[in-house]
Amino acid sequence: MRSAQQIIEVLPEPGVPQVWVSTGDDQTHRVDLSPLLEIEAFRALQLPRVRQAVRVSPDGQHLRWPGGAQLDLPSITQAPSGALPVRPVAVMSTAQRYRPLLPYLKALDPMIYLPPDPVEPRLVGALLGLNPGELQEVTKHYRAPQDVTLHRLCDLGTFLNDLFARPQVSALLRRAWPYGIRSCPGQPLLHTMLGCLRYGRPDLVERPCLLLATGNV
């Protein structure tokens, strides 16, 4: 039986030192780990490959990383007042976890259609202009359950289709992507939107598009 005072899932956020921590009371805490990186025991978390290897302890009371670093549950749920310094980013229902574009989509006026759970892969493929093989290749690079990944990709497809005509979305994903090129100059696999999605970096598409849509550039 799940306890409200247990961690049941952790999902690392791509590209930044943040995690989505779900607890037994169907709440998810998105927290920023940046302050921890200043503490000697957590310095290894500066490396993305270490940060992404986060696990939940067997008793559900800690997050653990390779090398022995661990973060206790109260520091997460009581942030920023817990024993270890992490910053709260957002608290949401677990059903809405791992979906950074969702608050924007829900706030659109007029309201935009958001498909119910579960999201069909064919809908996600249609929104992003991906064939089934491409979509399968994309989803296998994420550290999240497939249904959660599909929701995130569906939100992105919905977002892009609200800004552009559907044929434009498919073409846009395959063109050179300046933000990816600037952010990751030595990683040519991330120099198109499709490459960013395929190699587990949706943030490199979501973040700049959201800034453009909201005028925060």
Side-chain angles (χ1 to χ4, degrees):
M1 184 175 179
R2 299 193 313 186
S3 166
Q5 300 304 315
Q6 280 187 318
I7 302 170
I8 60 171
E9 180 189 64
V10 58
L11 302 175
E13 172 62 13
V16 292
Q18 295 183 7
V19 287
W20 306 72
V21 183
S22 299
T23 51
D25 56 357
D26 289 323
Q27 283 196 325
T28 294
H29 298 257
R30 184 179 180 182
V31 294
D32 183 2
L33 306 174
S34 298
L36 286 178
L37 306 186
E38 302 301 318
I39 300 174
E40 182 63 34
F42 292 89
R43 291 280 169 81
L45 271 62
Q46 296 176 1
L47 300 173
R49 61 181 176 80
V50 175
R51 203 165 59 236
Q52 296 282 312
V54 62
R55 294 289 186 272
V56 180
S57 64
D59 63 1
Q61 296 303 302
H62 295 84
L63 301 183
R64 290 178 175 171
W65 288 269
Q70 65 177 22
L71 176 63
D72 62 290
L73 176 58
S75 289
I76 296 167
T77 58
Q78 298 170 17
S81 303
L84 288 171
V86 295
R87 296 192 189 106
V89 177
V91 180
M92 68 218 70
S93 70
T94 297
Q96 298 179 349
R97 72 199 186 281
Y98 205 62
R99 300 176 66 180
L101 291 178
L102 187 59
Y104 171 83
L105 294 175
K106 285 190 166 186
L108 286 176
D109 186 16
M111 293 177 60
I112 197 167
Y113 172 74
L114 294 173
D117 190 15
V119 173
E120 292 289 336
R122 62 183 178 181
L123 172 61
V124 178
L127 287 170
L128 292 171
L130 304 178
N131 63 48
E134 288 176 320
L135 182 60
Q136 186 175 26
E137 180 68 22
V138 166
T139 57
K140 76 179 185 180
H141 285 278
Y142 287 70
R143 283 285 322 278
Q146 185 173 10
D147 60 328
V148 177
T149 298
L150 287 174
H151 265 300
R152 184 163 186 163
L153 295 173
C154 185
D155 287 348
L156 178 59
T158 302
F159 175 82
L160 292 174
N161 277 268
D162 187 58
L163 295 178
F164 308 101
R166 186 163 295 188
Q168 290 178 309
V169 172
S170 179
L172 186 63
L173 259 63
R174 290 163 171 79
R175 293 177 186 159
W177 180 227
Y179 187 85
I181 294 169
R182 289 196 305 271
S183 301
C184 307
Q187 301 181 58
L189 294 176
L190 302 177
H191 291 179
T192 64
M193 284 187 178
L194 182 56
C196 294
L197 299 184
R198 179 174 285 154
Y199 293 100
R201 291 298 306 274
D203 60 298
L204 293 175
V205 180
E206 297 160 340
R207 191 176 302 129
C209 289
L210 185 57
L211 290 174
L212 285 170
T214 58
N216 295 319
V217 292

